[in-house]
Amino acid sequence: MTTAHLTEIRLNTTSRDVQADLRHGGLGFHRRTERLFLPDGYTAPRTNSTGPRPDLGLLWRLDTTRTGLQLLIQSTDPPDLTTIPDHYGTTHTTELGPYLDHLTTGQHVHYRLTACPVHWARDKTTGKPLRNRIPCTGPDITHWWTRRAPDLGLDPYTTTTFQLTPVTGVADHNPRMRLPLTRYDGLATITDPTHLRTAILHGIGRAKAFGAGLLTLAPPN
């Protein structure tokens, strides 16, 4: 049985704490989401440079909805919402595991993903891949997702992309960090529920600590 929780926080944009997090973009919510799980001193092993997030199954995404801004947080265990400042927003946590366990081949879903699409740079003379990765541009932004989705257990038949504000700042000793973000929306058919569950639980692509990688599904309208 899959263990996962999805927490929705409908942000109160008049809150000074929310405004401060918004000013810092991905870095602000990176810190905010970690605080929901570390108030008592988290001591589990740090598996990589993203800190405790892989151990917590922690992913997040900032969405613009018809009713305002919404912070989505996915985690193995529910967050400690008592650590959220007063008037930060209204919260709701649901168990995601039962839904993921009942995904079926052939099921049609609406998907949403915020991702950081990049590709390997290539030598202009030889065409060989270089060691550095560069942001996708133009049609490559859509191709990044349509190439990747089948290996994740999804066959997208519609895809719409929205360019989001890049995450900039200082992180991991990188004084000029700039992470381009794209939101992918569309309809898809599930082709492999097992692979899809893994992708949802572990996240997709880079910059997971900064608001990328969280894939959510919903019934088609």
Side-chain angles (χ1 to χ4, degrees):
M1 184 175 179
T2 304
T3 302
H5 295 80
L6 187 66
T7 299
E8 303 173 18
I9 304 178
R10 296 193 176 275
L11 299 176
N12 173 16
T13 53
T14 66
S15 160
R16 291 184 178 181
D17 294 288
V18 171
Q19 292 171 1
D21 288 343
L22 288 169
R23 280 196 301 273
H24 291 93
L27 292 174
F29 291 107
H30 164 81
R31 293 189 289 264
R32 179 67 63 190
T33 53
E34 274 203 352
R35 290 192 195 110
L36 299 178
F37 298 89
L38 309 181
D40 296 323
Y42 182 74
T43 58
R46 294 189 169 227
T47 57
N48 55 37
S49 62
T50 60
R53 288 176 178 270
D55 303 293
L56 298 167
L58 178 54
L59 298 164
W60 67 271
R61 187 178 79 213
L62 189 64
D63 277 352
T64 301
T65 72
R66 295 175 182 175
T67 57
L69 286 177
Q70 175 178 262
L71 178 63
L72 288 181
I73 304 167
Q74 183 178 291
S75 54
T76 303
D77 296 319
D80 180 3
L81 297 175
T82 64
T83 65
I84 293 179
D86 291 341
H87 312 299
Y88 193 82
T90 58
T91 65
H92 178 68
T93 299
T94 59
E95 289 191 29
L96 189 59
Y99 174 74
L100 296 180
D101 287 335
H102 286 87
L103 296 177
T104 58
T105 301
Q107 182 179 348
H108 296 281
V109 293
H110 177 271
Y111 65 85
R112 174 169 289 182
L113 167 71
T114 292
C116 180
V118 296
H119 62 88
W120 293 105
R122 292 184 177 272
D123 186 279
K124 293 182 179 179
T125 303
T126 65
K128 292 182 178 180
L130 302 176
R131 295 184 63 182
N132 57 310
R133 287 175 287 191
I134 59 176
C136 294
T137 58
D140 286 340
I141 292 174
T142 300
H143 294 162
W144 179 91
W145 168 241
T146 55
R147 286 195 304 266
R148 196 164 189 139
D151 292 334
L152 305 176
L154 271 184
D155 180 16
Y157 51 90
T158 70
T159 300
T160 303
T161 62
F162 302 87
Q163 298 305 113
L164 305 177
T165 303
V167 177
T168 58
V170 179
D172 294 331
H173 308 291
N174 181 357
R176 294 184 294 179
M177 181 182 74
R178 188 178 190 279
L179 302 172
L181 298 181
T182 298
R183 194 182 85 196
Y184 297 87
D185 277 315
L187 299 171
T189 304
I190 296 176
T191 57
D192 190 322
T194 300
H195 284 176
L196 184 56
R197 275 191 292 272
T198 299
I200 290 172
L201 292 172
H202 293 280
I204 298 167
R206 303 174 69 238
K208 297 183 184 71
F210 302 103
L214 174 57
L215 173 65
T216 53
L217 307 177
N221 292 334

